[in-house]
Amino acid sequence: MFVSVIIPAAGFGERMGATINKQFLLLDGKPILVHTLERFQLCEAVDEIIVATQKSSFPLIEEITRTFSLTKVKPPVEGGQRRQDSIFNAMNTIDEKADIISVHDAVRPFVHMKEITQSIETAKFYGASVVAVRAKDTMKRATTDGRVQETLNRSALWSVQTPQTFQRKILFDAYANAEKEHISATDDSFLVEQLGISPIIVEGSYENIKITTPDDLLMAELLLKRFVP
Ligand code: CTP
Ligand code: MG
């Protein structure tokens, strides 16, 4: 079994509003991306890691790879306009031996080893898996002008994170279908669902936040103090 991991890291971090792309902001002196890459480097089930990033960041990725001895990280791949395009570009360079492809956001450094391995094991067996946590807040459906229409049943709701892991053919079929049907999504699982496949949920942890806005960065500094991979 050969497992490839794709790390989309080509975003501009508009909601973070920093002067550099948020995946390169430092957390305890190390770029966020390095924290994330180390999680996968240390996971025995992972064979190779492909980072999709802007061309201007290639030298930085190569430097990071050397400095932190990230031996599983392959030469970077150019990202695209949408997250989906970045992932597709990376998919086209994965090792031909790969049976399993796992996708994980560059800006989720607090993923646990257990979530990575369970996500891979579940996808091996069932075809597709998504790491998710139970919704904490009561969720309501509303009209675009903010009028509540319905209160949803919280026990059936999950907040979806990454990793999201797939058997190779399922992910390639999902992306081919998305291209054909002009489907755009920030969630790979959604593209797989369009094939009529139901990914299996792997229950994860609330620590696995996506660093999106400046308040997430504050939270990340706190989480780092007590994080156990
Ligand atoms: N991403 C990517 N290619 C894009 C857009 C996003 O590889 N064209 C990556 C980001 O680098 C990030 C992950 O997808 O690791 C999740 O996206 P998000 O949190 O939305 O990051 P950004 O797009 O950078 O942020 P924003 O939407 O605020 O601009
Ligand atoms: Mg984005």
Side-chain angles (χ1 to χ4, degrees), residues 8-16 22-23 52 79-83 86 105-107 210-212:
F12 289 95
E14 275 168 25
R15 285 169 288 177
M16 182 62 74
K22 61 182 180 178
Q23 52 273 29
Q81 207 169 4
R82 302 168 299 171
R83 178 181 181 278
S86 301
D105 293 320
V107 289
K210 181 163 75 68
I211 300 176
T212 307

Side-chain angles (χ1 to χ4, degrees), residues 51-65:
V51 180
T53 190
Q54 291 153 29
K55 225 178 189 152
S56 56
S57 303
F58 279 18
L60 187 51
I61 299 290
E62 280 151 9
E63 189 197 318
I64 279 171
T65 305

Side-chain angles (χ1 to χ4, degrees), residues 183-225:
I183 305 168
S184 262
T186 53
D187 178 56
D188 305 289
S189 163
F190 178 77
L191 302 182
V192 167
E193 290 159 43
Q194 301 316 300
L195 301 176
I197 293 169
S198 297
I200 305 293
I201 289 177
V202 170
E203 189 161 5
S205 116
Y206 294 105
E207 291 187 321
N208 185 19
I209 60 167
K210 181 163 75 68
I211 300 176
T212 307
T213 51
D215 55 313
D216 293 325
L217 209 53
L218 285 177
M219 181 61 83
E221 276 157 14
L222 291 175
L223 283 172
L224 193 65
K225 289 194 175 53

